[in-house]
Amino acid sequence: MALVEVTIVPLGSESTSLSSYVADVHKVLEKEKDLKHMLTPMGTIIEGELDLILKTIKQMHESVFENGAMRVSTSIKIDDRRDKVGTMKQKIESVENKLK
């Protein structure tokens, strides 16, 4: 089980607004029923098996080209913990409990 943060940015697009690209990227992600994901204001967090996540990120990256971008920058952060399962929910709850 891995948690991955990904940010995919088209470079040189006609507009400074990226929401249509983000929506198209998320349509690719939503097809993968074995992955959980959370949209954030600065990227997307994906939870699942690392091989499937990386395969899906490649499809997401390619979708930006398919939607007209001529250059794409994709940043990936991977949290791959092997001693115990860590989920998005568990990590957030751990911090929230410490704030009480």
Side-chain angles (χ1 to χ4, degrees):
M1 176 75 69
L3 294 176
V4 175
E5 180 180 41
V6 61
T7 303
I8 302 173
V9 180
L11 302 175
S13 62
E14 294 179 12
S15 171
T16 57
S17 175
L18 302 178
S19 59
S20 63
Y21 289 101
V22 173
D24 288 335
V25 162
H26 270 260
K27 289 175 186 172
V28 172
L29 182 55
E30 289 172 353
K31 291 178 185 176
E32 284 300 337
K33 301 302 179 196
D34 292 330
L35 298 177
K36 293 182 180 179
H37 63 278
M38 179 189 310
L39 176 65
T40 74
M42 300 296 290
T44 299
I45 311 297
I46 307 171
E47 175 184 305
E49 294 300 321
L50 185 57
D51 287 341
L52 180 56
I53 292 172
L54 293 173
K55 176 183 159 232
T56 304
I57 288 173
K58 182 177 182 194
Q59 294 169 349
M60 294 162 67
H61 178 88
E62 289 297 325
S63 76
V64 180
F65 285 112
E66 293 166 5
N67 287 299
M70 297 303 294
R71 186 175 181 184
V72 178
S73 174
T74 296
S75 300
I76 302 170
K77 270 200 292 192
I78 300 171
D79 180 356
D80 187 10
R81 188 169 181 172
R82 304 285 170 97
D83 62 331
K84 68 178 188 176
V85 175
T87 64
M88 290 183 281
K89 182 179 178 190
Q90 175 268 323
K91 289 176 78 104
I92 291 170
E93 286 175 352
S94 178
V95 173
E96 288 175 341
N97 287 336
K98 290 172 179 66
L99 289 171
K100 294 178 182 178

